[in-house]
Amino acid sequence: EVQLLESGGGLVQPGGSLRLSCAASGFTFNDYAMSWVRQAPGMGLEWVAAITGSGGDTYHADSVKGRFTISRDNSDNRLYLQMYSLRVEDTAIYYCVKGSSSSRPYYLHYWGQGTQVTVSS
Amino acid sequence: ENVLTQSPGTLSLSPGERATLSCRASQSVTRNYLAWFQQKPGQAPRLLIYGASNRATGIADRFSGSGSGTDFTLTITRLEPEDFAMYYCQDYGSSRTFGQGTKVEIK
């Protein structure tokens, strides 16, 4: 059974930093691309970042480019999202999502339950 | 960026009725790489359909997807109580953008 468990969310001041983590189990981690998708309060879904199975290629939405970095540790079956220069508009639930294959194109197959990030002074 | 527009914004129907949800893209979706997700309050989204018309594992056959190019449809043939939720489409072939969602509510 695929399990994705996010952690690392919390309350942070504008301009602050946070590192999200996602522990994956139930599948061969390095065989699949992974993504982060967020959802602001009462809003729709926004793709944030993605990384290929090998970790060799990464992609970031324009809204977070230069501030967020996706990475993975295939030896530990973990996905990360390092977030710097956080803004109020980054407040959202952040979901860790398993892709359907190692590289594009892939659909968002399995979703974790999410971790809440709140940026506020 | 491929802008996906979902309609209607809200669909008010009764259990047992048929639901038809639309997703229109501003540019052709490459090889119909279009997915549909269901999200219930307080829960993570769940994949329903990929490749425009392929049901994900474990998804009931009352859910079906169709369409190509820029126009796609999610149909729920007979609404069950558990189907009242938000539905999102996504182009996963190029821009990875999501539609803004359609809420299916009980009439």
Side-chain angles (χ1 to χ4, degrees), chain B residues 18-36:
Chain B
R18 180 186 188 94
T20 303
L21 288 67
S22 173
C23 177
R24 179 163 291 178
S26 62
Q27 305 167 32
S28 184
V29 175
T30 304
R31 296 186 182 181
N32 294 335
Y33 290 143
L34 192 287
W36 289 93

Side-chain angles (χ1 to χ4, degrees), chain A:
Chain A
E1 179 192 3
V2 172
Q3 292 197 359
L4 301 167
L5 186 61
E6 302 97 335
S7 60
L11 175 64
V12 62
Q13 292 188 335
S17 302
L18 216 51
R19 188 196 199 199
L20 305 184
S21 177
C22 171
S25 61
F27 62 101
T28 304
F29 187 62
N30 60 8
D31 278 350
Y32 295 92
M34 299 292 294
S35 298
W36 290 98
V37 175
R38 69 183 180 183
Q39 186 170 36
M43 303 295 284
L45 302 170
E46 181 188 15
W47 170 77
V48 173
I51 187 167
T52 54
S54 67
D57 291 293
T58 61
Y59 310 87
H60 299 82
D62 288 344
S63 59
V64 306
K65 202 168 289 184
R67 299 187 301 121
F68 291 10
T69 301
I70 189 171
S71 64
R72 64 192 296 159
D73 182 346
N74 285 346
S75 67
D76 197 28
N77 291 355
R78 284 188 174 270
L79 176 72
Y80 299 101
L81 186 67
Q82 178 68 55
M83 304 185 293
Y84 294 107
S85 303
L86 282 160
R87 304 168 180 169
V88 171
E89 55 265 34
D90 295 319
T91 295
I93 296 172
Y94 284 73
Y95 294 102
C96 168
V97 191
K98 172 187 173 291
S100 57
S101 64
S102 62
S103 59
R104 300 190 77 178
Y106 57 85
Y107 49 87
L108 300 175
H109 203 173
Y110 290 100
W111 298 61
Q113 286 306 301
T115 186
Q116 175 71 49
V117 172
T118 303
V119 185
S120 174
S121 54

Side-chain angles (χ1 to χ4, degrees), chain B residues 43-65:
Chain B
Q43 296 186 18
R46 176 176 71 146
L47 175 70
L48 296 176
I49 301 287
Y50 64 93
S53 61
N54 301 288
R55 265 191 307 276
T57 304
I59 300 304
D61 60 7
R62 63 180 180 275
F63 291 92
S64 65

